[in-house]
Amino acid sequence: MSSAADPAPRAPLADALQVTEEQWRERLTPEEFAVLRQAGTERPNVGEYTDTTTAGEYHCRACDALLFTSAEKFPSHCGWPSFFDPADSDAVVLREDVSLGMRRVEVLCANCHSHLGHVFEGEGYPTPTDQRYCINSISLRLTPKD
Ligand SMILES: [Zn+2]
């Protein structure tokens, strides 16, 4: 079932790594820019996808690349959408983040290197990977399955 209100899937932005910060600022809202391009974090429990169970695909809000699917989303009750695995291992890239006096692993979109969130391991969630990709809703756009 689809309606005119459903966001249509769009092809991922080509050459996304060539987009300048000034161009990202024009493409994104100030709130999206602050998270995606400046590694901000949205407040817990306010994101539009925190508790979403709709079947579908989660694409990068910046470049439309496929990042996660509803099949890997799980209720972590941490305040942000959580996934136990990306849609494809090549969809995201990880890098160490030592900001805020913590050692964390940052999750970036592989296609455009926008900030998505962080990944945590070994927390004991009953998922196949024991990983929690803790992702900002504002970094994602859900395309519901028909
Ligand atoms: Zn992207």
Side-chain angles (χ1 to χ4, degrees):
M1 226 237 22
S2 123
S3 73
D6 287 339
R10 292 184 290 190
L13 185 66
D15 299 323
L17 294 177
Q18 309 303 319
V19 179
T20 66
E21 291 309 304
E22 213 40 58
Q23 289 168 327
W24 283 126
R25 206 181 280 277
E26 286 167 16
R27 290 176 63 94
L28 303 171
T29 68
E31 292 76 20
E32 291 167 352
F33 186 85
V35 173
L36 285 156
R37 303 306 307 177
Q38 299 181 310
T41 298
E42 66 191 2
R43 285 179 296 120
N45 300 304
V46 300
E48 62 185 299
Y49 302 132
T50 304
D51 297 313
T52 301
T53 55
T54 306
E57 296 181 336
Y58 290 87
H59 293 253
C60 177
R61 182 86 63 111
C63 78
D64 296 307
L66 174 62
L67 298 173
F68 298 95
T69 78
S70 56
E72 290 86 34
K73 195 172 190 293
F74 71 98
S76 68
H77 308 291
C78 74
W80 292 275
S82 299
F83 303 85
F84 61 78
D85 217 12
D88 187 291
S89 56
D90 293 334
V92 300
V93 291
L94 307 180
R95 77 176 173 202
E96 186 174 50
D97 172 11
V98 293
S99 65
L100 305 178
M102 290 181 276
R103 185 173 295 270
R104 295 179 295 173
V105 178
E106 183 182 11
V107 183
L108 306 171
C109 170
N111 189 53
C112 74
H113 286 189
S114 286
H115 174 81
L116 305 174
H118 290 86
V119 59
F120 302 90
E121 282 194 283
E123 298 174 311
Y125 285 104
T127 62
T129 64
D130 203 9
Q131 291 185 318
R132 174 171 60 94
Y133 286 80
C134 181
I135 306 298
N136 293 286
S137 290
I138 204 168
S139 296
L140 302 172
R141 181 177 282 116
L142 172 62
T143 303
K145 202 184 251 170
D146 285 346

